[in-house]
Amino acid sequence: MAKKSTEGTLRVYLYIPNIIGYMRVLMNCIAFARCFSDKKLFAALYFISFICDGLDGWFARKFNQVSTFGAVLDMVTDRVSTACLLVILSQLYRPGLVFLSLLALDIASHWLQMYSTFLAGKANHKDVKDSSSWLFKAYYGNRLFMGYCCVASEVLYIGLFLLAENRSESVIDVIVNTVKKTPLLSFPVVLAMFGWAIKQTVNVIQMKTAADVCVLYDINRKERP
Amino acid sequence: MAIKSTKGTLRVYLYIPNIIGYMRILMNCVAFARCFSDKKLFAALYFISFLCDGLDGWFARKFNQVSTFGAVLDMVTDRVSTACLLVILSQFYSPGLIFLSLLALDIASHWLQMYSTFLAGKANHKDVKDSSNWLFKAYYGNRLFMGYCCVASEVFVNTVKKTPLLSFPAVLVIIGWAIKQTVNVIQMKTAADVCVLYDINRNQRP
């Protein structure tokens, strides 16, 4: 039985989408190790890893290799890579507290959302149906819109990383100067900031909703005979 | 029913241990906002927040105000303050790839542990509060070490040079920290196995 278990677990660890997942982790490690000495390499690897993020889900369904471990691996990789990027940005820009706060928001909102998803017995934190906020419903109800907001946030962060020339620049100054120098960039910049702003707003709402689920979990448990 | 729900949730949000939890968050915000300009204030607030961390659990049991939300609030506050601490450390030692790695390890190991706890808990009907308690207790030493690092970062080596007596407790703390990180890595593998076995067991059930 033990041997069967080991063979069984090894099989899942070697699923194609999970191997793609390991490659994503490796790419992120290399990217961050070289982020200050080779910015282009960093951006390229981060972008490829981002592509693989969608790719492994497609492969999982195509090869019938969907797994809980794969989903968790995906989520953890996303959380860690976003966190590391925000750490780097906090070193490059003043006030660094802005990116510290964004990191805190990212961790807190996703953590709370995960907890509440489990307590509510939902399959996936993206399968939110009974939330009252219209923005919440619009965000999670429309995968394309949600995808745009997620992509916009990552694009904004990567963009800010590539634009940083000295340490201790002001974020606002860099964005304004970039748009002044290259007016063509103003539309994508606004688009990215808009999507990013919506994502952060949803993160905040998510925390309140998730907290409510935690509270109601106890209340419902006590009311049961 | 809707009004009852709101009253019910508000009552829990105002539990004494949860109010202590909000104060912890506030203290951490102030601490990190002033961490570069006032290191003593940072250290004091961080330490007080650390004390409250144990205090709110005691109050919860004393006033019979234990709640899932309170446990989650505790966990999230710990995760965020640890992350912020590592960010600050990475700035002191810029680019601080070691602290980036520690942040990655902290997030990954706790995330996987949370997932596996829930997946395993579903089979055994384990209580959420209990599982987050052992996780919480497990990293006392880790945060103490990091808090110490943050406060004493620039003068750490000089202090040990000047006061050789400090080298023993410092080494002790470092050993404890190293063990904790090793356990984190091991626990990631264990947690990953739980995720895989969860699917296997589900598929095997009739």
Side-chain angles (χ1 to χ4, degrees):
Chain A
M1 194 46 112
K3 194 175 177 202
K4 180 181 178 186
S5 259
T6 315
E7 275 175 23
T9 57
L10 189 65
R11 194 172 50 85
V12 176
Y13 285 132
L14 294 177
Y15 277 173
I16 293 170
N18 295 341
I19 291 187
I20 295 177
Y22 308 145
M23 288 190 338
R24 280 189 68 209
V25 173
L26 197 65
M27 278 190 276
N28 275 299
C29 288
I30 297 173
F32 282 103
R34 313 278 296 144
C35 65
F36 285 112
S37 43
D38 197 338
K39 281 184 152 188
K40 288 201 175 111
L41 178 69
F42 173 85
L45 287 174
Y46 198 86
F47 180 67
I48 295 171
S49 163
F50 188 71
I51 304 267
C52 289
D53 198 358
L55 224 70
D56 63 8
W58 185 77
F59 273 115
R61 283 180 288 278
K62 187 172 165 67
F63 292 117
N64 195 29
Q65 285 183 337
V66 178
S67 62
T68 302
F69 169 70
V72 178
L73 179 65
D74 231 14
M75 233 180 320
V76 172
T77 309
D78 287 340
R79 294 276 61 67
V80 171
S81 65
T82 300
C84 290
L85 186 50
L86 286 170
V87 173
I88 300 297
L89 284 172
S90 80
Q91 293 185 18
L92 293 172
Y93 285 98
R94 288 287 169 264
L97 280 179
V98 171
F99 294 105
L100 201 68
S101 308
L102 288 173
L103 177 63
L105 179 59
D106 189 83
I107 291 176
S109 65
H110 281 93
W111 202 266
L112 266 160
Q113 189 63 11
M114 272 302 127
Y115 243 96
S116 73
T117 300
F118 275 117
L119 291 178
K122 294 207 180 76
N124 185 326
H125 82 278
K126 293 175 194 154
D127 293 333
V128 177
K129 289 187 193 71
D130 42 282
S131 197
S132 48
S133 159
W134 64 266
L135 180 63
F136 212 62
K137 278 193 208 142
Y139 182 80
Y140 281 116
N142 189 336
R143 287 304 163 95
L144 211 60
F145 182 61
M146 190 173 88
Y148 152 65
C149 292
C150 289
V151 172
S153 283
E154 299 290 307
V155 167
L156 183 67
Y157 294 154
I158 291 289
L160 284 173
F161 170 75
L162 290 169
L163 284 171
E165 271 157 15
N166 322 303
R167 297 292 179 86
S168 307
E169 292 172 285
S170 152
V171 187
I172 311 282
D173 284 346
V174 169
I175 294 178
V176 168
N177 288 338
T178 305
V179 171
K180 273 191 191 161
K181 263 202 295 186
T182 326
L184 267 172
L185 277 180
S186 43
F187 181 61
V189 166
V190 168
L191 215 60
M193 292 194 69
F194 183 67
W196 164 86
I198 296 201
K199 179 156 209 282
Q200 301 315 312
T201 310
V202 168
N203 276 346
V204 174
I205 298 172
Q206 215 165 258
M207 288 202 294
K208 175 60 167 69
T209 314
D212 280 343
V213 171
C214 293
V215 175
L216 287 169
Y217 174 76
D218 285 342
I219 291 177
N220 289 335
R221 251 191 344 170
K222 286 191 189 130
E223 276 169 13
R224 255 184 266 137
Chain B
M1 196 45 114
I3 295 176
K4 182 183 178 185
S5 258
T6 314
K7 272 208 210 144
T9 57
L10 189 65
R11 195 172 50 85
V12 176
Y13 285 131
L14 294 177
Y15 277 172
I16 293 170
N18 295 343
I19 292 186
I20 295 177
Y22 309 143
M23 288 189 341
R24 278 189 68 210
I25 293 174
L26 199 64
M27 279 189 276
N28 275 300
C29 288
V30 174
F32 282 106
R34 314 279 295 144
C35 64
F36 289 112
S37 44
D38 196 338
K39 279 186 157 189
K40 288 203 173 108
L41 179 69
F42 172 83
L45 286 173
Y46 195 81
F47 182 66
I48 294 171
S49 164
F50 185 73
L51 285 177
C52 287
D53 203 356
L55 222 70
D56 63 8
W58 184 77
F59 272 115
R61 283 179 288 277
K62 187 173 163 69
F63 292 117
N64 194 28
Q65 287 184 337
V66 178
S67 62
T68 301
F69 169 70
V72 177
L73 182 65
D74 235 12
M75 267 277 262
V76 173
T77 308
D78 289 339
R79 293 275 60 64
V80 173
S81 68
T82 298
C84 290
L85 201 47
L86 286 168
V87 173
I88 301 299
L89 283 170
S90 78
Q91 292 196 13
F92 279 143
Y93 300 97
S94 180
L97 282 177
I98 173 94
F99 297 107
L100 217 64
S101 308
L102 288 174
L103 178 63
L105 180 59
D106 188 82
I107 291 175
S109 66
H110 282 94
W111 201 266
L112 270 159
Q113 281 171 32
M114 173 183 70
Y115 240 95
S116 73
T117 300
F118 273 112
L119 290 178
K122 273 204 158 102
N124 301 330
H125 307 286
K126 271 199 227 148
D127 190 42
V128 169
K129 293 190 277 286
D130 291 337
S131 38
S132 54
N133 267 340
W134 75 256
L135 263 177
F136 154 70
K137 280 178 196 149
Y139 52 85
Y140 261 116
N142 187 33
R143 287 167 63 233
L144 260 177
F145 171 72
M146 289 197 306
Y148 174 72
C149 261
C150 200
V151 168
S153 57
E154 273 121 69
V155 299
F156 178 59
V157 173
N158 289 336
T159 307
V160 171
K161 276 189 191 158
K162 268 197 284 188
T163 325
L165 269 173
L166 270 182
S167 43
F168 181 63
V171 167
L172 221 58
V173 166
I174 289 172
I175 290 177
W177 164 85
I179 293 178
K180 179 65 182 79
Q181 299 314 311
T182 311
V183 168
N184 272 347
V185 173
I186 296 171
Q187 281 181 322
M188 281 205 299
K189 175 61 166 67
T190 315
D193 280 344
V194 171
C195 292
V196 174
L197 288 168
Y198 174 75
D199 284 343
I200 290 176
N201 289 334
R202 249 192 342 172
N203 289 335
Q204 280 172 0
R205 254 184 267 138

